[in-house]
Amino acid sequence: MKIFCLLLAAFCSPVFSGEWKATVVKDLKALVTSCIVIPCSFTHPKENLPSSRLRGIWHRSSDKQAFVYNEDKTRILENFRGRTQLLGELGQNNCTLEITDIKNHDNGPFCFRIELARTENDLSTVDKFSFIEDCAELTMLSEPPTPSLVHLETGTEGHPYTVTCSVTHTCPSHVPKLTWSRSTPEKIVESHRQLHPGHWEIQSILTFIPEEKDDHSEITCTAVFNGQKTSSATMKLYIKRTENYKHIIIPTVVGIGITVISGVVCIFMVKKYKRRIAELQSQDGSMWNRISRLSRRFRSGGPGPSHSAQRRSIWSRFSRRPRGDMVDFGHTPNNVNSQSCTDQKISKPRFPSPKSQPKSCNYKEDLDDGDDYMNTADLNVYGNI
């Protein structure tokens, strides 16, 4: 009995349990000027039917004759002509509808109806079913959705950095295009997935190696939808520098180099000036010796006293002068050996210049003083003794 009941249930279940049923996404958001895809599927109690025996129709829920889509293009409402098509195969129980160039009045609701022809050659209708309880209603959007950006708060210089831009849409047949504001060629990977029936998401993953110049720069992701409506999202990029000591090493090396070069230059200049001073001193000594030798040769042709002896001779003459007398070393009061000085009177001169009297008087007196050599440059001194 148990086996008989199971066989009876298996035989009767397709007959009694089979029914016409449609699954339609009822609430969708449609972007004006863009497109929308309304997912739809259906079941029926019949055996597998070829698409040639099935006819799919979309109409307004308020009027079954107000066709939004029909195989007979002439029967479609005028404002929907050329904007609707079936994306699915009816033989695979797919009744998905696409509407392009969305208008503000395309809000629906829209319902699906299936019709079964007698045979492939006889298209007369045998059965038909309208799914008026499962209709799609649209919500019109005047502005597109804004992309979302997912990224790390801070990137590191020289290390890969990734930014993910994603945006949702309701038209997989015309996927939005995502673009980036970075002009340099970067690695970009795109992916497309269905979030849930009637809603899809497109992602663009940007990967690049940030540099120091990218710090505080902006990255913008722009979504271009079908119908040329756009939306964008912008982020600010913060880059952390990699740790290095170039900013310390370079100034230190430069400072040390400048110090060494300056030291070498200073040492060279000091040595140069010391050598120059020594050369000048040696030149002064040789010049004095040459003058002394020429003076001795001019007077007697013999060797003259040294420079220290000349100074001692001059001091001895100073010491023999009586104190309190004004002595003019440019004049000599003694008139023994000079006729030109006999008429000169010895008086207290008023600080006469050594150039005011003839040098021949002083020169003659000093020759008679017994000294063999006299430096005339040392005698041009006057004052009180």
Side-chain angles (χ1 to χ4, degrees):
M1 290 295 294
K2 291 182 179 178
I3 294 173
F4 178 76
C5 292
L6 290 173
L7 292 174
L8 182 63
F11 176 78
C12 296
S13 58
V15 176
F16 295 101
S17 62
E19 62 177 346
W20 292 93
K21 185 177 181 180
T23 302
V24 179
V25 178
K26 296 181 179 181
D27 297 318
L28 290 173
K29 294 179 179 180
L31 177 62
V32 177
T33 72
S34 183
C35 63
I36 189 170
V37 172
I38 304 175
C40 174
S41 62
F42 66 96
T43 60
H44 55 83
K46 307 292 183 179
E47 66 276 6
N48 291 333
L49 298 174
S51 299
S52 58
R53 291 186 59 189
L54 297 173
R55 289 196 299 265
I57 297 172
W58 283 86
H59 60 86
R60 288 187 180 274
S61 61
S62 58
D63 185 1
K64 293 182 180 180
Q65 298 301 316
F67 297 128
V68 175
Y69 171 79
N70 195 311
E71 290 183 359
D72 187 357
K73 307 292 183 184
T74 61
R75 302 180 65 182
I76 300 175
L77 294 175
E78 185 176 356
N79 59 343
F80 283 98
R81 289 179 185 176
R83 299 196 294 120
T84 60
Q85 65 174 335
L86 284 180
L87 297 181
E89 291 290 337
L90 294 177
Q92 298 176 0
N93 300 333
N94 190 337
C95 52
T96 301
L97 176 69
E98 179 194 61
I99 305 176
T100 60
D101 192 16
I102 296 294
K103 310 296 183 181
N104 287 325
H105 52 77
D106 297 340
N107 55 339
F110 305 113
C111 304
F112 176 68
R113 187 173 76 187
I114 187 71
E115 294 181 353
L116 177 61
R118 187 179 300 273
T119 62
E120 294 182 3
N121 297 325
D122 186 3
L123 299 179
S124 59
T125 302
V126 175
D127 197 2
K128 57 184 177 182
F129 194 89
S130 292
F131 306 97
I132 58 175
E133 294 180 356
D134 296 286
C135 299
E137 187 171 1
L138 307 181
T139 301
M140 300 294 107
L141 298 177
S142 58
E143 296 296 332
T146 302
S148 62
L149 295 176
V150 179
H151 58 89
L152 295 176
E153 183 177 355
T154 304
T156 303
E157 179 184 0
H159 293 74
Y161 187 78
T162 300
V163 184
T164 301
C165 177
S166 60
V167 67
T168 59
H169 63 95
T170 57
C171 188
S173 59
H174 298 81
V175 180
K177 184 179 181 181
L178 298 178
T179 57
W180 296 92
S181 60
R182 291 182 65 90
S183 58
T184 56
E186 310 289 353
K187 182 180 179 181
I188 299 176
V189 178
E190 287 190 355
S191 62
H192 190 253
R193 61 173 180 161
Q194 184 178 13
L195 299 177
H196 46 82
H199 295 84
W200 290 264
E201 180 187 60
I202 181 171
Q203 282 187 346
S204 180
I205 303 174
L206 172 68
T207 303
F208 63 97
I209 305 298
E211 301 177 359
E212 182 181 350
K213 64 180 181 179
D214 295 324
D215 191 23
H216 288 78
S217 63
E218 291 185 348
I219 299 178
T220 301
C221 175
T222 302
V224 182
F225 294 83
N226 182 46
Q228 302 304 313
K229 283 201 172 184
T230 62
S231 62
S232 60
T234 302
M235 59 156 288
K236 182 166 282 190
L237 183 61
Y238 297 95
I239 299 301
K240 181 173 61 176
R241 297 182 181 179
T242 55
E243 295 183 0
N244 59 67
Y245 300 96
K246 291 182 180 179
H247 62 287
I248 299 176
I249 295 175
I250 293 176
T252 302
V253 171
V254 172
I256 293 174
I258 293 175
T259 302
V260 171
I261 294 173
S262 301
V264 171
V265 172
C266 291
I267 293 172
F268 176 77
M269 293 179 65
V270 169
K271 288 184 177 180
K272 180 179 179 181
Y273 281 106
K274 283 185 177 180
R275 186 168 60 251
R276 182 61 178 166
I277 291 172
E279 291 176 356
L280 293 174
Q281 289 177 349
S282 62
Q283 291 177 2
D284 292 342
S286 60
M287 182 65 70
W288 175 260
N289 293 334
R290 286 196 297 270
I291 294 174
S292 300
R293 287 194 298 270
L294 289 174
S295 178
R296 289 195 298 271
R297 290 174 184 175
F298 179 77
R299 289 187 302 127
S300 59
S306 64
H307 185 67
S308 58
Q310 297 173 18
R311 294 185 178 275
R312 286 195 299 270
S313 175
I314 295 171
W315 177 252
S316 62
R317 287 197 297 273
F318 289 161
S319 61
R320 289 196 299 269
R321 300 289 181 179
R323 288 182 174 271
D325 294 338
M326 175 64 68
V327 179
D328 181 4
F329 292 97
H331 298 78
T332 303
N334 192 1
N335 56 359
V336 176
N337 297 319
S338 178
Q339 289 294 333
S340 62
C341 298
T342 54
D343 297 332
Q344 296 179 4
K345 295 182 179 180
I346 298 175
S347 62
K348 190 174 183 180
R350 189 165 58 93
F351 298 98
S353 172
K355 297 180 181 181
S356 61
Q357 298 295 335
K359 293 182 180 180
S360 58
C361 299
N362 296 332
Y363 179 74
K364 183 66 177 177
E365 181 181 357
D366 290 337
L367 288 177
D368 296 339
D369 197 26
D371 292 333
D372 295 333
Y373 173 77
M374 178 182 63
N375 189 354
T376 58
D378 292 338
L379 296 179
N380 292 330
V381 180
Y382 59 92
N384 291 329
I385 298 180

